[in-house]
Amino acid sequence: MNKLILVLAAAVLWFSAAAQTPQPPPAPAQPIPFNHKLHAGNLKLKCSMCHPNRDPGETMGIAPASVCMQCHSAVKTDSPEIQKLAEFAKSNRTIRWNRVYAIPSYVLFSHRAHLAAGNTCVECHGPVAEREALFREVDLSMTGCMNCHRVKNASNDCTYCHEER
Ligand code: HEC
Ligand code: HEC
Ligand code: HEC
Ligand code: HEC
Ligand code: HEC
């Protein structure tokens, strides 16, 4: 009898905890279903192959289709998705990927400064190499930025992240 009450109490606790966990937003649909788990996980491709931190270092960028074609001119050429990819490369068109982590332009942010300070991709984007489709699983709202700044003793002055007017 006591056991049953314990099990019921545990179940109630578990359900209420599950109900309180905010659900992350779903992965946005992409023009081509690119899979990080396959490419960065299984094939162990370096992040920098597709995300070079070009000068002045604010953005990582996303490689154009021509980089994909280094493999896909030979790999999986019978796939309709790869044929779509080949079309982009042939006509030199930009693939309009739907953004996962985008912050408003009035916020100051530099990848290079953060990487130089020892922050990692995983801290801000989660275990990307284990994800088939990326979704916004890490909180990079103002609160999210400030929480990490608090923990790592970086400034939380308004003008650190927002230009003075
Ligand atoms: C301190 C947090 C942080 C770290 C560390 C970080 N990122 Fe980001 N990342 C962001 C934010 C914030 C954005 C959105 C930037 C924007 O919209 O201007 C972003 C955007 C991106 C983008 C979209 C293109 C762009 O540059 O806007 C890619 C790709 C990316 N990150 C890859 C990476 C990779 C690869 C690493 C590790 C080498 C990494 N990020 C490390 C926070 C971070
Ligand atoms: C280093 C080589 C390499 C690069 C670079 C590469 N891929 Fe791939 N890709 C592969 C391999 C290997 C597979 C798995 C093929 C299989 O299932 O037999 C694959 C599979 C795929 C598939 C699944 C195709 C299907 O129908 O099953 C898509 C879509 C894809 N890649 C898109 C891309 C895109 C977009 C890029 C560039 C951003 C890219 N790949 C860059 C090697 C690569
Ligand atoms: C073969 C190319 C390739 C490799 C390698 C790769 N990526 Fe990507 N990445 C892409 C493409 C294509 C997109 C856009 C589609 C998407 O969001 O899945 C993207 C999107 C992203 C985004 C979301 C950017 C945004 O805000 O929209 C992040 C974050 C990211 N990659 C991080 C990483 C990290 C971290 C690694 C290494 C562990 C990595 N990527 C390795 C091709 C690659
Ligand atoms: C994972 C932890 C972490 C997250 C998340 C994070 N930061 Fe930072 N940030 C740092 C650290 C550490 C520094 C370096 C502090 C130093 O050098 O004193 C830094 C430095 C900065 C700087 C000054 C860098 C420069 O250009 O000199 C700005 C601006 C900044 N962060 C803005 C942001 C914004 C905006 C976000 C959210 C979109 C964010 N940070 C998210 C850890 C983080
Ligand atoms: C560590 C970086 C950081 C610091 C410090 C910071 N902000 Fe922000 N702030 C952000 C980011 C990132 C956003 C954008 C959030 C989003 O909408 O994605 C933002 C958004 C805002 C907005 C627009 C909010 C909205 O709801 O539209 C205002 C206003 C603002 N910040 C004011 C401030 C003030 C005032 C301070 C000082 C108390 C401050 N911020 C400090 C990063 C920061």
Side-chain angles (χ1 to χ4, degrees), residues 21-90:
T21 314
Q23 291 298 306
Q30 297 294 358
I32 293 169
F34 180 78
N35 184 337
H36 277 86
K37 187 179 180 188
L38 172 68
H39 292 87
N42 301 358
L43 298 176
K44 297 192 165 58
L45 301 182
K46 289 223 166 70
C47 311
S48 57
M49 178 181 192
C50 300
H51 305 302
N53 186 224
R54 288 198 215 295
D55 291 338
E58 266 88 358
T59 63
M60 303 306 289
I62 296 176
S66 56
V67 170
C68 314
M69 293 311 285
Q70 288 174 23
C71 296
H72 285 295
S73 55
V75 174
K76 221 59 211 218
T77 51
D78 56 341
S79 151
E81 298 296 345
I82 297 304
Q83 286 158 8
K84 230 198 282 176
L85 183 65
E87 269 309 308
F88 276 105
K90 207 173 123 202

Side-chain angles (χ1 to χ4, degrees), residues 5-7 12 20 26 35 56 62 64 100 115 119 134 136 142 159 161:
I5 290 168
L6 272 178
V7 168
V12 166
Q20 276 161 18
N35 184 337
I62 296 176
V100 182
L115 296 172
N119 298 292
L134 297 191
R136 197 165 172 142
M142 179 159 136
T159 53
C161 303

